[in-house]
Amino acid sequence: MKDMSPQAGNRSDRLHSLILDCIYQQVNTLLLDKPFDQWNLDHVPTYRMEQLRHWIFDQGCFNWEEMTNLPKSLRTDLKNKLDLVPMELHRTQGAQDTTQKFLWRLRDHQFIESVLIPATQGSKGVRASRLTLCVSTQVGCAIGCKFCASGLDGLKRNLSCGEIVGQILLARKQAQKRIDNLVFMGMGEPLANLPSLLPALDQILSPKGLGIGARHITLSTSGLAPKILELAKYPAQIRLAISLHGGDDETRQKIMPINHKFPLKELLHACETFIEERKKMITLEYILIAGVNDDLHQADLLTAHAKRLNAKINLIPYNRVEGLTWDRPSQDQIKAFYQRVQKGEPPRVTLRMEKGHDIDAACGQLRLKEIQKN
Ligand code: SAH
Ligand code: SF4
């Protein structure tokens, strides 16, 4: 009979992490974990390193055998010492011309997701061929927002720099197209993993890396106020989005426990400092959940915050998560909320009807299904 005692759960958890640790200890160093300008491998001349960089970043090549301008002995040597491929594609969902979700298996057999989103046909000023990639920064998430699939199973670990950059390189390879925009809105809290994220951003921004411009990169946070201040010091002008989801502390902490640690006053103050230092507009994201944060008083509070910060508002109707009871409001309520915000004349408001609603596009859902199978 199956042992259902709590101790059994702990035992199997411990065994699981022990197995993962063993697997992880056996893997080689991941080449991409170091920025390419720091690839000072023993006795390998700089021009050879440049050839290697070219294969990976410019050609999207992840196969040592194909790097034919590198001597075979060097390739064999590097192959024995280093891992080139940060993750394998485990599953895709969605079609190539619509939202497409990739479930990656990392070298220690953990799962993460990235979502490739084409621009809305005819969106104002946006070419329909443009591609946005939604990138993960952690396996799971420790923040534990009550509506989110990513946090349901807690945090497993931070992603490394190479695993963040790898998602973009490998998604680009899958799409066979340039990726124009990045949003750090996949699994995990980006600001809780700055030691990996900042060197990853350096490679993403560099013309010798992925060459994606800072204004095409948006980082979303649940509101780690001190880390927002730290990010304000990062030299590139990347965009910041705040997951607000409640106009007052009482409403916000019903669904976001992080609000106990960093209440609205502290969060908004950090945003003001960020804006002051960067001279850049930020976005307030607001998912609409029926009966939780969708009453018109919340719309007024949200508008007031946006006006105070001179911030854009992005309204997103909630995507249902299997196993959770939250739901999106009716179309009428969504419309009423949107119109009420508009009436308050904030700097800008958009209503985003989530693409990929039918393919578990909300972060963490595909991974959750995969780990529930095992
Ligand atoms: N941890 C960061 C970034 C990842 S989540 C953050 O919380 O901002 C990216 C966005 O997806 C956040 O605004 C989050 O609140 C939202 N989100 C999470 N689950 C969702 C769901 N089921 N439906 C709609 N949006 C969701
Ligand atoms: Fe983590 Fe963001 Fe999900 Fe909250 S919404 S649990 S911070 S990934």
Side-chain angles (χ1 to χ4, degrees):
M1 208 175 88
K2 206 171 168 188
D3 185 354
M4 302 293 274
S5 65
Q7 291 88 337
N10 290 342
R11 262 203 314 271
S12 77
D13 280 357
R14 275 204 302 277
L15 192 65
H16 185 237
S17 55
L18 208 68
I19 293 169
L20 289 181
D21 284 351
C22 289
I23 296 173
Y24 212 60
Q25 277 160 17
Q26 280 168 15
V27 296
N28 282 327
T29 305
L30 183 64
L31 177 68
L32 288 172
D33 275 348
K34 266 205 174 167
F36 47 74
D37 53 5
Q38 291 169 31
W39 290 351
N40 40 8
L41 305 169
D42 278 352
H43 314 301
V44 183
T46 316
Y47 79 97
R48 291 286 183 212
M49 289 294 100
E50 168 53 23
Q51 284 173 322
L52 183 56
R53 184 210 60 76
H54 174 75
W55 277 113
I56 299 169
F57 282 91
D58 304 342
Q59 300 291 328
C61 171
F62 280 88
N63 184 347
W64 294 110
E65 311 311 319
E66 287 173 21
M67 301 180 182
T68 43
N69 59 351
L70 295 176
K72 192 149 179 32
S73 58
L74 176 62
R75 279 184 271 151
T76 310
D77 192 33
L78 292 177
K79 193 176 166 181
N80 288 336
K81 284 192 195 134
L82 297 164
D83 274 358
L84 193 55
V85 188
M87 60 200 81
E88 300 284 349
L89 184 60
H90 184 69
R91 204 145 72 84
T92 37
Q93 234 181 23
Q96 204 149 30
D97 54 345
T98 58
T99 300
Q100 217 186 351
K101 192 159 195 166
F102 304 118
L103 183 68
W104 309 107
R105 200 183 61 238
L106 301 172
R107 294 175 308 148
D108 62 351
H109 298 210
Q110 302 271 9
F111 290 102
I112 54 159
E113 308 172 5
S114 326
V115 186
L116 198 57
I117 312 157
T120 313
Q121 288 282 342
S123 296
K124 225 174 22 188
V126 181
R127 280 208 320 272
S129 58
R130 296 213 140 223
L131 278 182
T132 298
L133 186 73
C134 180
V135 183
S136 292
T137 51
Q138 296 182 309
V139 182
C141 183
I143 306 291
C145 303
K146 296 193 178 152
F147 49 82
C148 174
S150 293
L152 282 182
D153 201 29
L155 174 71
K156 293 291 167 206
R157 67 171 175 87
N158 281 325
L159 291 187
S160 68
C161 167
E163 289 168 334
I164 296 174
V165 174
Q167 286 171 71
I168 308 157
L169 285 166
L170 292 172
R172 183 182 74 175
K173 195 171 165 69
Q174 285 295 320
Q176 297 279 310
K177 276 191 203 146
R178 188 190 149 76
I179 289 171
D180 308 283
N181 302 300
L182 295 181
V183 289
F184 285 91
M185 295 186 183
M187 192 187 301
E189 168 52 54
L191 293 192
N193 188 15
L194 284 178
S196 296
L197 183 66
L198 297 184
L201 279 174
D202 290 343
Q203 293 186 74
I204 292 165
L205 291 159
S206 165
K208 288 202 142 205
L210 280 145
I212 300 177
R215 64 198 176 88
H216 294 289
I217 301 173
T218 304
L219 208 146
S220 174
T221 177
S222 58
L224 307 188
K227 300 286 175 186
I228 293 175
L229 300 177
E230 214 175 308
L231 186 72
K233 306 258 178 287
Y234 184 70
Q237 290 273 26
I238 50 173
R239 295 176 187 273
L240 182 67
I242 307 290
S243 295
L244 201 68
H245 310 339
D248 51 32
D249 285 325
E250 197 192 332
T251 307
R252 196 165 187 262
Q253 60 213 22
K254 270 197 276 188
I255 44 177
M256 301 183 74
I258 190 74
N259 196 79
H260 291 289
K261 202 163 176 192
F262 304 115
L264 270 181
K265 190 165 176 242
E266 192 176 340
L267 172 58
L268 297 176
H269 186 66
C271 291
E272 273 175 341
T273 309
F274 183 91
I275 296 161
E276 179 57 32
E277 289 205 14
R278 308 317 298 261
K279 307 275 178 271
K280 205 155 178 66
M281 268 182 121
I282 65 164
T283 301
L284 300 180
E285 299 197 89
Y286 197 95
I287 53 173
L288 287 160
I289 308 181
V292 174
N293 63 359
D294 62 339
D295 63 275
L296 300 186
H297 176 55
Q298 291 296 316
D300 294 340
L301 293 173
L302 170 63
T303 311
H305 295 317
K307 287 171 94 162
R308 174 179 149 195
L309 296 173
N310 190 32
K312 300 178 227 173
I313 297 174
N314 194 6
L315 299 175
I316 311 147
Y318 180 62
N319 258 327
R320 269 200 77 104
V321 174
E322 226 174 85
L324 297 181
T325 51
W326 316 98
D327 218 337
R328 62 167 59 180
S330 67
Q331 281 303 107
D332 283 351
Q333 189 58 27
I334 293 173
K335 203 168 147 204
F337 194 97
Y338 176 56
Q339 286 174 344
R340 180 68 164 243
V341 172
Q342 271 185 324
K343 209 169 144 209
E345 298 184 346
R348 193 168 153 215
V349 53
T350 49
L351 173 62
R352 185 172 86 202
M353 290 310 287
E354 197 73 69
K355 283 180 167 224
H357 189 45
D358 52 341
I359 62 153
D360 308 321
C363 59
Q365 295 209 48
L366 201 57
R367 166 179 172 267
L368 200 66
K369 280 190 184 161
E370 195 61 41
I371 55 181
Q372 277 166 352
K373 273 200 228 159
N374 300 315

